[in-house]
Amino acid sequence: GENVEQHPSTLSVQEGDSAVIKCTYSDSASNYFPWYKQELGKRPQLIIDIRSNVGEKKDQRIAVTLNKTAKHFSLHITETQPEDSAVYFCAASITFGNEKLTFGTGTRLTIIP
Amino acid sequence: DTAVSQTPKYLVTQMGNDKSIKCEQNLGHDTMYWYKQDSKKFLKIMFSYNNKELIINETVPNRFSPKSPDKAHLNLHINSLELGDSAVYFCASSPSGGSYEQYFGPGTRLTVT
């Protein structure tokens, strides 16, 4: 089955700096890669996703890049703000397979004011 | 206008008891899920139902039994609770399968003493 590894497990950055979280996946058939943000005590919420037919997607201060050959994808947050502090999860799934979403182990991002 | 709701929010019970968690979604989605999030924040899928039919059943003890009376509801019954069952259980729904945004419920924090 699919295996998703996520690094780093914790990340602290100065407010205003950029943060990068990286994930690798094992199943070359995976073609959908979402990122979820979970604030303390809250539910996970989708912040951005990418499908395998594109290499990069941006939404304001967040962007995701995908390298299908290397089987890795990354989340980039620019101009970080205190409200970006949360746990971020990457995930992968295969459309038209059993479509199970396999999550990475999470990255706790702390923005230092 | 709650999208995905769960009850109860907190559940404290003793080892050996049987308990149920209920989930309802008003988004008209076809697919619903149960996830377990342990103390290390790992998110693991347990079950997935599509239109009341079980489609994903991960390696979960048979003390856990999901039931979907209709496509808007997915309940989780747990028999003979053990200390290791303590976790936050999230219900989620999506339009169809794992390759679309999943909407999570608020979570049920289960504590087994």
Side-chain angles (χ1 to χ4, degrees):
Chain A
E2 175 66 277
N3 182 46
V4 178
E5 295 191 356
Q6 183 171 347
H7 300 280
S9 57
T10 60
L11 179 61
S12 294
V13 301
Q14 210 70 37
E15 183 178 352
D17 288 350
S18 296
V20 181
I21 302 170
K22 298 183 179 182
C23 289
T24 60
Y25 60 98
S26 60
D27 193 336
S28 56
S30 289
N31 55 8
Y32 175 66
F33 307 94
W35 286 87
Y36 283 79
K37 175 184 180 182
Q38 186 178 24
E39 296 177 4
L40 189 63
K42 301 280 182 67
R43 71 192 79 191
Q45 290 188 290
L46 181 76
I47 55 171
I48 195 167
D49 57 11
I50 192 168
R51 297 187 186 271
S52 59
N53 56 345
V54 297
E56 184 175 1
K57 184 176 178 181
K58 284 184 181 178
D59 183 3
Q60 300 183 325
R61 294 187 298 108
I62 59 173
V64 58
T65 58
L66 171 65
N67 183 327
K68 285 193 298 181
T69 304
K71 290 191 282 188
H72 66 70
F73 56 114
S74 301
L75 177 72
H76 304 253
I77 307 173
T78 59
E79 300 172 15
T80 53
Q81 300 169 3
E83 54 265 36
D84 294 330
S85 293
V87 178
Y88 291 80
F89 294 95
C90 62
S93 76
I94 303 169
T95 308
F96 307 124
N98 68 7
E99 300 202 38
K100 180 179 74 172
L101 202 53
T102 301
F103 283 88
T105 48
T107 296
R108 183 176 299 278
L109 175 63
T110 303
I111 307 303
I112 305 164
Chain B
D1 61 345
T2 305
V4 183
S5 58
Q6 291 179 232
T7 54
K9 191 168 173 63
Y10 299 97
L11 191 50
V12 181
T13 188
Q14 291 184 324
M15 283 174 53
N17 284 349
D18 304 338
K19 290 293 179 186
S20 291
I21 308 171
K22 295 178 186 281
C23 178
E24 176 180 1
Q25 54 97 1
N26 62 5
L27 298 167
H29 290 165
D30 289 330
T31 309
M32 296 185 72
Y33 312 82
W34 279 112
Y35 287 90
K36 178 180 179 182
Q37 186 170 48
D38 61 21
S39 57
K40 293 184 178 179
K41 299 295 187 185
F42 296 155
L43 260 175
K44 291 290 297 283
I45 189 164
M46 302 173 69
F47 302 103
S48 169
Y49 271 74
N50 183 274
N51 230 340
K52 301 194 298 176
E53 182 183 345
L54 180 67
I55 56 171
I56 294 174
N57 184 348
E58 289 294 284
T59 308
V60 177
N62 57 17
R63 299 182 294 104
F64 290 78
S65 52
K67 279 192 173 54
S68 182
D70 55 63
K71 75 173 194 175
H73 296 85
L74 180 61
N75 304 323
L76 183 65
H77 187 76
I78 315 170
N79 289 329
S80 304
L81 279 154
E82 301 177 356
L83 292 176
D85 298 331
S86 295
V88 179
Y89 291 85
F90 285 100
C91 175
S93 73
S94 72
S96 178
S99 298
Y100 298 88
E101 179 175 1
Q102 295 191 13
Y103 293 78
F104 284 79
T108 295
R109 181 174 295 277
L110 171 65
T111 303
V112 182
T113 61

